[in-house]
């Protein structure tokens, strides 16, 4: 005899005689039986033994909540329980129950034969039902798994960076579509061959070697920036990492290649542009400086004192422009604000005085009164001469530029605690409050009707900020639109 | 009188520098491109060559290489003059600069008149 696995059956019946009879019949056949005398009790059992109730033998003539209620509750909860109804006559209420989801109905006045005919059919139905359910689940699981792998490949191939995976011997085992395009990889030529054959870069190979030889106890492969690796004509930002299995053993390496060739090309363009500008600006200034110097020194004829004075100022102004051009062109200085080239002991008073004299003519042209107060016996300051000149020139020329005719610019150099402070106060157009936080940004220029006609690169203040920072100083600005602006630079004097 | 050959395509710069150096009692010969500069070196046999780097026809580096490879001319000191800032790295110029260690000196443009005179005097001595 074929032993079928037993079924968990819950009998719900308030007629004890019928309940006992059902129980006896089912237990004799080896099924596990639980009993309940009301719907509430039945629900309790179902809840407590979730998944351990397969079939309910349910009386439709229960007091309180009728059996139909239970059928509806179970249907709503989508419990996978087969319901066999029991009623006195299997009339209207039986039909209603079967509509609601009951499998069949047994008359309570059943004979043993009749009981088993119906019951066995129900048990068989339940088993089929269960099996179908299991098959459906398996199928679904398979269905979700297969597209999952395909999806992963699709995602892998859609990534815009090249990805190459090697085994622990640096043989390529997987690559995505972008990597194939970037390095001309093909399945026949590439798979199973060392990465060094397909991608010719010693640097890259060293990263891969490091990755496959690393173990979990080693520090991360590359701290900080991912290096740029050149492969033939292209430049890549590369990240190489070890591939580890579940137990943490290194089984290979994965390399991510981000093409930065266009960025590198931009860098070159910028650098070429700077060298071009450098020549175009400096060449005429070279001539100008030489011509003015020759005239000023009287080498092209005697000068009267006024001519000599004017040419002297022209010469200083030319030199001031040269300083500015050098500042603008100093790529690294603009790039990272590092402007300390040569630290020496400086007499800031003398440097400022010279700068003020240089600027005086442009102030006079605009009928701006320029005053310069320098505290006596200032300590010497350790810093970069060119940088200090750039701070003074930029801030004073800005003050003159943004102050209307007839205004005033006052320049003060004084000691405050351990700092030397440089202050420029103008009676100019001021800085609107919404712009004040942005004035130190590169290329930022305030756009108003008043500033339209004023020429500038938008670099001056960012250069000043860079130099001040490099000298561990600080810069502070106060301004009121229409009234004027005050810049204060504090430079710490080293003990 | 010591003779200086100044090779620069900027005529204004040449003219002013000529007046400056003549005032210090040097004889000054001018050329305005690399080729002409090379011809003048051979024809004039100067005591010092001041050579601008960025020039038409032939640039200063190339002229310098030719001069320093010529056993008859390689004793003449050469000062390179360039507006290309050394700070601007990674351009083709820095590569050239590496090859150009044979130049005797290097002056960044713009140069002050006193500085130019000082450098010339370093090679040719003071005249007065």
């Amino acid at each position: 005899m074929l032993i079928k696995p037993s079924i968990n059956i819950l009998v719900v019946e308030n007629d004890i005689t019928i309940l006992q009879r059902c129980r006896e019949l089912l237990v004799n056949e080896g099924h596990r039986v639980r009993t309940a005398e009301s719907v509430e009790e039945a629900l309790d059992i179902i809840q407590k033994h979730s998944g351990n109730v397969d079939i309910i033998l349910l009386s439709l003539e229960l007091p309180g909540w009728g059996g139909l209620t239970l059928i509806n509750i179970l249907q709503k909860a989508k419990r996978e329980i087969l319901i066999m109804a029991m009623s006195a006559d299997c009339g209207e209420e039986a039909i209603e129950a079967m509509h609601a989801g009951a499998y069949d109905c047994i008359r309570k006045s059943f004979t043993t034969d009749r009981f088993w005919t119906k019951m066995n059919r129900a048990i068989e139905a339940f088993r089929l039902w269960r099996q179908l359910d299991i098959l459906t689940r398996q199928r679904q699981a398979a269905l979700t798994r297969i597209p999952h792998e395909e999806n992963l490949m699709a995602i892998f191939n859609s990534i815009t960076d090249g990805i190459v995976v090697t085994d622990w011997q640096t043989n390529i085992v997987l690559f995505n579509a972008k990597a194939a395009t970037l390095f001309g990889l093909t399945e026949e030529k590439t798979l199973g061959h060392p990465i060094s054959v397909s991608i010719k870069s010693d640097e890259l190979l060293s990263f891969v070697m490091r990755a496959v030889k690393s173990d979990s106890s080693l520090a991360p492969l590359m701290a900080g920036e991912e290096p740029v690796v050149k492969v033939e004509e292209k430049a890549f930002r590369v990240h190489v990492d070890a591939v580890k299995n579940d137990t943490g053993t290194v089984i290979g390496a994965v390399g991510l290649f981000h093409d930065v060739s266009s960025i590198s090309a931009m860098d070159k363009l910028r650098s070429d542009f700077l060298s071009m500008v450098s020549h175009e600006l400096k060449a005429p200034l070279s001539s100008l400086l030489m011509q003015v110097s020759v005239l000023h020194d009287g080498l092209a004829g005697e000068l009267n004192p006024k001519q000599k004075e004017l040419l002297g100022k022209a010469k200083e102004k030319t030199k001031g422009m040269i300083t500015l051009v050098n500042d603008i062109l100093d790529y690294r200085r603009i790039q990272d604000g590092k402007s300390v080239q040569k630290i020496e002991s400086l007499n800031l008073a003398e440097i400022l005085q010279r700068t003020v004299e240089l600027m005086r003519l442009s102030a006079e042209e605009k009928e701006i009164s320029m005053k310069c107060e320098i505290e006596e016996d200032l300590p010497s300051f350790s810093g970069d001469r060119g940088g200090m000149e750039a701070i003074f020139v930029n801030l004073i020329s800005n003050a003159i530029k943004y102050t209307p005719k007839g205004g005033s610019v006052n320049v003060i150099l004084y000691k405050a605690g351990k700092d030397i402070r440089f202050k420029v106060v103008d009676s100019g157009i001021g800085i609107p409050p919404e712009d004040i936080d942005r004035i130190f940004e590169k290329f930022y220029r305030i756009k108003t009707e008043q500033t339209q006609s004023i020429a500038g690169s938008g670099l001056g203040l960012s250069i000043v900020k860079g130099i001040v920072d490099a000298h561990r100083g600080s810069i502070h600005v106060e301004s009121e639109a229409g009234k004027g602006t005050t810049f204060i630079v504090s430079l710490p004097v080293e003990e | 009188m010591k003779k200086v050959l100044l090779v620069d395509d900027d005529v204004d710069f040449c003219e002013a520098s000529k007046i400056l150096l003549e005032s210090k009692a040097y004889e000054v010969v001018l050329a305005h491109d690399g080729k002409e500069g090379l011809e003048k070196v051979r024809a004039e046999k100067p005591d010092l060559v001041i050579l601008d780097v960025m020039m038409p026809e032939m640039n200063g580096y190339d002229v310098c290489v030719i001069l320093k490879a010529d056993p008859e001319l390689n004793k003449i000191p050469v000062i390179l003059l360039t507006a290309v800032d050394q700070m601007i790295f990674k351009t083709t110029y820095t590569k050239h600069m590496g090859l150009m260690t044979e130049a005797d000196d290097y002056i960044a443009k713009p140069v002050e008149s006193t500085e130019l005179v000082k450098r010339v005097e370093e090679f040719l001595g003071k005249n007065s």
Side-chain angles (χ1 to χ4, degrees), chain B residues 1 7 9 14 16-17 19 32 38 47 59 65 69-70 73 75 77 82 91 94 100 105 111 114-116 119-120 127:
Chain B
M1 196 187 271
V7 191
D9 61 325
C14 286
S17 304
I19 296 170
H32 301 304
L38 212 50
D47 298 293
N59 72 41
V65 169
D70 189 326
L73 304 174
K75 296 284 188 298
T82 177
T91 61
T94 43
M100 287 321 305
D105 203 354
V111 57
T114 47
E115 180 70 15
L116 184 63
R119 298 291 191 95
V120 171
N127 272 330

Side-chain angles (χ1 to χ4, degrees), chain B residues 28-45:
Chain B
V28 180
V29 183
L30 300 177
H32 301 304
D33 65 55
K35 260 188 182 168
E36 192 194 350
L38 212 50
E39 284 160 17
K40 289 261 170 90
V41 180
R42 294 194 169 112
E44 302 275 347
K45 297 278 178 331

Side-chain angles (χ1 to χ4, degrees), chain A residues 73-246:
Chain A
I73 290 169
L74 293 176
Q75 286 297 324
K76 254 186 209 150
K78 296 206 162 104
R79 296 266 186 177
E80 287 155 353
I81 299 173
L82 188 139
I83 295 157
M84 176 62 89
M86 273 195 301
S87 92
D89 56 0
C90 281
E92 285 294 317
E93 71 285 354
I95 291 163
E96 210 177 326
M98 280 152 82
H99 271 303
Y103 176 75
D104 203 349
C105 187
I106 300 176
R107 262 178 223 277
K108 287 191 181 170
S109 54
F110 54 76
T111 60
T112 306
D113 274 357
R114 186 112 193 113
F115 178 83
W116 280 117
T117 312
K118 291 240 173 188
M119 217 38 217
N120 279 336
R121 258 203 354 241
I123 289 167
E124 209 47 50
F126 173 79
R127 284 198 173 121
L128 283 171
W129 190 23
R130 216 0 100 81
Q131 213 154 18
L132 182 71
D133 191 49
I134 290 165
L135 281 174
T136 310
R137 277 166 198 263
Q138 280 177 347
R139 179 90 188 277
Q140 253 165 7
L143 279 173
T144 49
R145 199 164 52 237
I146 294 162
H148 197 59
E149 250 164 50
E150 282 169 3
N151 283 344
L152 269 186
M153 271 325 278
I155 293 165
F156 190 56
N157 281 324
S158 305
I159 294 171
T160 51
D161 286 346
I163 300 175
V164 177
V165 184
T166 73
D167 62 15
W168 63 280
Q169 291 171 308
T170 78
N171 296 318
I172 293 180
V173 292
L174 187 66
F175 55 86
N176 72 348
K178 182 67 181 184
T181 327
L182 287 175
F183 306 116
L185 310 182
T186 62
E187 287 196 10
E188 309 95 70
K189 275 197 301 181
T190 310
L191 286 184
H193 296 286
I195 191 167
S196 53
V197 173
S198 302
I199 306 174
K200 290 182 177 62
S201 161
D202 291 343
E203 213 181 338
L204 174 68
L205 186 64
S206 76
F207 293 144
V208 175
M209 297 295 279
R210 272 167 67 186
V212 294
K213 282 186 180 150
S214 78
D215 59 60
S216 51
S217 65
L218 282 175
L221 285 170
M222 277 163 284
E225 282 239 317
E226 293 155 354
V228 172
V229 168
K230 288 218 159 152
V231 181
E232 280 149 28
E233 291 299 293
K234 288 196 154 84
F236 299 96
R237 201 167 284 287
V238 174
H239 189 94
V240 183
D241 250 321
V243 177
K244 291 171 186 169
N245 66 9
D246 295 346

Side-chain angles (χ1 to χ4, degrees), chain A residues 268 271-272 274-276 278-279 282-287 289-291 293-294 297 299-300 315 319 322 326 329-333 341, chain B residues 9-10 12-17 19-21 23 52 54 83-93 109-114 116:
Chain A
K268 190 179 180 303
S271 145
D272 288 354
L274 282 175
S275 81
M276 188 270 285
S278 167
H279 190 258
K282 282 186 178 178
L285 284 172
S286 299
S287 298
L289 181 64
M290 197 53 79
Q291 288 164 329
S293 301
V294 165
D297 295 349
L299 302 180
K315 185 182 168 184
K319 281 158 75 177
I322 290 166
N326 281 335
L329 290 174
D330 191 339
Y331 180 63
R332 276 184 291 188
R333 185 178 293 187
Q341 293 178 313
Chain B
D9 61 325
D10 190 326
D12 296 341
F13 178 79
C14 286
E15 194 190 2
S17 304
I19 296 170
L20 173 74
L21 292 175
S23 80
D52 184 36
M54 274 174 102
V84 179
D85 202 304
Q86 277 176 308
M87 297 294 278
I88 297 169
F89 44 96
K90 285 182 181 168
T91 61
T92 49
Y93 299 105
K109 258 180 166 182
V111 57
E112 285 207 42
S113 54
T114 47
L116 184 63

Side-chain angles (χ1 to χ4, degrees), chain A residues 245-271:
Chain A
N245 66 9
D246 295 346
T247 59
T249 311
V250 173
I251 54 172
V254 55
L256 185 73
F257 299 83
H258 182 63
D259 191 346
V260 292
S261 307
S262 59
I263 301 171
S264 298
M266 278 295 288
D267 271 351
K268 190 179 180 303
L269 197 70
R270 182 160 49 187
S271 145

